[in-house]
Amino acid sequence: MVSSDVSLYASPQPLPKVMSPDFLRALSFAAEKHRNQRRKDSGQTPYINHPIAVADILLNEAGVVDEVVLMAALLHDTVEDTDTTFDELEQHFGAVVRDVVAEVTDDKSLPKAERKQLQIEHAAGLSDRAKLVKLADKISNVRDTVVAPPEGWPITRIDEYLEWGKAVVGPIRGTHAQLEGLFDKAYAQGKATVS
């Protein structure tokens, strides 16, 4: 016999606030834009898993509830890696979200080495919101590089990636202690793996 006692389903803690429809629209937009992309690991993981992981790190591991930051996390690679434009982001999600995404978007017309160096040089000048997205992005990428590295990457290349990630995070330390601790843990696990 099924009990109708509602208390059986009561949560011991208040349920978290449901995200706004804008958050779900950002997730849907990112999923559509990244629909044909895969990560470079041997399992060819769907690319959308990465922006979702970045938002998850922010919300569920670091307690960041700023919806602009969470939406920017979902959208952070759309301009850099798809046919999305900044105007399109502004039209759908507003200028504030667009601006955060713009801050963390690399100029793909530049050589890769220059783009990587510019991330280090520009990190300290990012807005607080962009720094949060950048920290979570680096955590996610370091974790993925260690657990499921791009196919064909030797240990030396993984180690170089870890050191570059640390160099990007260095100038933005003091932004969010919990995220910085998560990065440090991912970095340490990576270093243990490549040693």
Side-chain angles (χ1 to χ4, degrees):
M1 184 165 139
V2 177
S3 171
S4 62
D5 184 359
V6 177
S7 67
L8 292 175
Y9 305 100
S11 174
Q13 300 172 3
L15 294 174
K17 175 185 173 244
V18 175
M19 302 309 286
S20 79
D22 290 337
F23 178 84
L24 191 54
R25 281 190 320 101
L27 176 57
S28 179
F29 183 93
E32 175 63 24
K33 291 294 187 170
H34 292 297
R35 73 186 176 282
N36 295 321
Q37 295 177 311
R38 301 284 178 185
R39 298 286 272 179
K40 295 176 184 176
D41 61 274
S42 62
Q44 296 290 292
T45 305
Y47 194 88
I48 190 60
N49 290 9
H50 169 64
I52 292 170
V54 173
D56 183 59
I57 288 165
L58 287 162
L59 179 63
N60 293 315
E61 294 185 56
V64 175
V65 295
D66 181 337
E67 197 165 50
V68 168
V69 172
L70 298 173
M71 290 170 61
L74 293 171
L75 301 165
H76 80 275
D77 280 335
T78 56
V79 173
E80 190 172 314
D81 293 337
T82 76
D83 63 356
T84 306
T85 66
F86 289 118
D87 287 341
E88 189 178 5
L89 286 182
E90 182 172 357
Q91 178 185 1
H92 289 285
F93 306 106
V96 177
V97 170
R98 180 216 53 214
D99 289 348
V100 176
V101 173
E103 287 187 77
V104 298
T105 298
D106 286 351
D107 180 349
K108 292 289 268 241
S109 70
L110 299 173
K112 187 173 185 175
E114 187 175 346
R115 291 194 319 260
K116 290 178 80 169
Q117 183 60 37
L118 286 172
Q119 279 199 40
I120 297 167
E121 292 173 10
H122 293 158
L126 296 174
S127 68
D128 289 344
R129 284 172 160 159
K131 286 177 181 178
L132 295 173
V133 174
K134 181 67 76 175
L135 279 164
D137 181 43
K138 290 299 169 245
I139 294 163
S140 176
N141 282 332
V142 165
R143 287 175 178 174
D144 287 349
T145 299
V146 172
V147 174
E151 200 164 19
W153 275 29
I155 297 284
T156 53
R157 185 153 180 205
I158 294 169
D159 190 51
E160 288 169 5
Y161 186 86
L162 293 171
E163 292 306 316
W164 171 70
K166 183 179 178 184
V168 173
V169 168
I172 55 180
R173 287 198 176 271
T175 300
H176 193 284
Q178 197 166 357
L179 283 171
E180 292 157 26
L182 290 169
F183 176 83
D184 292 342
K185 182 178 179 185
Y187 173 83
Q189 288 172 338
K191 292 302 275 188
T193 301
V194 298
S195 296

